[in-house]
């Protein structure tokens, strides 16, 4: 996937490998209508069930608790967390399908066309708010077995996730890993215990520091209001200062 990160088109074989890796890791797939701008679209969420030579199969997409049908031929923008971070591409629905799902059960889903290319998705769908060093709340990340994966302080925050300035990181931490995030934020948010996915691991300002970027799996209640209030206070201070 190095060519992906360099902005070069990936081959069909590399696209299949990336989808297979996401399927094995259980990473969720996000879909949006290609006709809508990212800021206007509400992502649908699905799982990759099978990756085949000419297409791949996903579970029925959903928005919240409601399934969302796809029209045959509908153009879609997809994104998922790969081994190098979040990537995106274009696909289209090839129709509904029913496949065996272990035992005698059947799974209803959709066939999607393999994207011609995947590219690094570094778009900031949500505006980020930088947190001052003196106010940065402590964050703890825990892996599925309850072991601490990382500990640090919030560096910046958005509706969709946060970046954490870490001074303790488990060597087992990896991009694509699902973690539980614990942090106490100012009201109206308060205590947060949310599932998230690691989408970035990078070097910090010195050798003992790492930056971890995470995406929330579900919207954190009150976060939009908190960010709006902080932005308003900062703008007011700038006008009066």
């Amino acid at each position: 996937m190095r060519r992906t990160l360099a902005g070069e088109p990936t081959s069909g074989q590399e696209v299949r490998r990336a989808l297979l890796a996401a399927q094995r890791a259980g990473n969720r797939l996000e879909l949006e209508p290609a006709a809508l701008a990212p800021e206007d679209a509400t992502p649908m969420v699905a799982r990759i069930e099978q990756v085949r030579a000419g297409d791949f199969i996903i579970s029925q997409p959903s928005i919240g608790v409601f399934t969302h049908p796809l029209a045959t031929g509908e153009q879609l923008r997809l994104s998922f967390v790969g081994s190098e971070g979040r990537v995106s591409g274009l696909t289209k629905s090839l129709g509904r399908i029913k496949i065996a799902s272990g035992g005698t059960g059947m799974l209803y889903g959709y066939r999607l066309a393999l994207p011609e290319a995947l590219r690094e998705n570094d778009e900031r769908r949500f505006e980020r708010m930088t947190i001052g060093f003196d106010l940065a709340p402590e964050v703890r990340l825990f892996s599925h077995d309850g072991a601490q994966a990382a500990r640090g302080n919030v560096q910046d925050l958005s509706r969709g996730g946060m970046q954490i300035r870490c001074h303790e990181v488990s060597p087992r931490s990896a991009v694509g890993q699902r973690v539980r995030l614990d942090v106490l934020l100012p009201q109206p948010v308060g205590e947060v215990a949310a599932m998230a996915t690691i989408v970035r691991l990078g070097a910090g300002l010195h050798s003992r520091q790492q930056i971890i970027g995470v995406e929330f799996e579900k919207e954190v209640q009150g976060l939009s209001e908190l960010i709006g209030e902080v932005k308003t206070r900062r703008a007011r201070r700038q006008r009066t200062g």
Side-chain angles (χ1 to χ4, degrees):
M1 294 293 288
R2 295 294 177 185
R3 292 170 62 196
T4 300
L5 296 181
E8 300 175 17
T10 49
S11 69
Q13 189 175 14
E14 289 172 319
V15 169
R16 288 189 72 254
R17 278 201 295 264
L19 288 166
L20 279 167
Q23 177 197 352
R24 295 189 187 110
N27 295 344
R28 69 178 188 170
L29 180 77
E30 292 189 0
L31 296 166
E32 299 169 347
L36 295 179
E39 60 270 20
D40 297 328
T42 300
M44 298 169 272
V45 177
R47 296 285 179 184
I48 302 171
E49 300 292 342
Q50 292 183 16
V51 181
R52 309 191 299 188
D55 61 13
F56 66 106
I57 297 172
I58 64 168
S59 61
Q60 293 192 89
S62 63
I63 298 176
V65 298
F66 300 102
T67 57
H68 188 89
L70 300 178
T72 300
E74 183 177 359
Q75 302 288 321
L76 300 161
R77 184 170 49 244
L78 63 78
S79 65
F80 59 92
V81 176
S83 60
E84 303 288 351
R86 180 164 288 277
V87 293
S88 62
L90 295 175
T91 183
K92 69 176 179 179
S93 171
L94 301 177
R96 202 159 180 250
I97 191 172
K98 182 169 68 173
I99 59 173
S101 179
T104 58
M106 300 299 292
L107 169 74
Y108 290 89
Y110 287 88
R111 294 171 52 232
L112 298 185
L114 291 174
E116 292 185 1
L118 294 173
R119 296 185 182 277
E120 182 183 18
N121 183 10
D122 195 28
E123 296 176 355
R124 301 286 192 183
R125 176 182 296 162
F126 304 118
E127 184 177 1
R128 289 185 175 272
M129 177 183 73
T130 302
I131 306 296
F133 279 83
D134 55 334
L135 301 175
E138 184 178 77
V139 185
R140 292 179 183 267
L141 303 179
F142 297 91
S143 58
H144 70 279
D145 60 2
Q148 183 168 289
R151 182 173 69 89
N153 297 89
V154 179
Q155 176 170 285
D156 61 46
L157 186 63
S158 77
R159 286 170 48 206
M162 65 173 61
Q163 291 199 99
I164 306 161
R165 190 171 54 249
C166 294
H167 32 273
E168 290 182 16
V169 180
S170 166
R172 295 185 299 166
S173 298
V175 171
Q177 180 182 359
R178 294 180 73 237
V179 292
R180 191 188 84 237
L181 178 149
D182 289 354
V183 64
L184 180 62
L185 294 174
Q187 294 298 329
V189 180
E191 189 172 344
V192 177
M195 294 304 297
T197 301
I198 296 177
V199 296
R200 180 185 172 230
L201 285 170
L205 295 177
H206 53 75
S207 59
R208 294 184 179 180
Q209 188 181 86
Q210 275 191 284
I211 303 298
I212 293 184
V214 298
E215 283 188 357
F216 303 131
E217 291 193 357
K218 296 181 179 179
E219 182 178 352
V220 176
Q221 295 298 314
L223 195 50
S224 295
E225 291 82 355
L226 171 63
I227 292 172
E229 289 175 7
V230 172
K231 284 177 59 181
T232 300
R233 288 199 298 269
R234 287 179 178 176
R236 188 179 299 122
R237 283 199 300 268
Q238 288 174 353
R239 288 195 300 268
T240 59

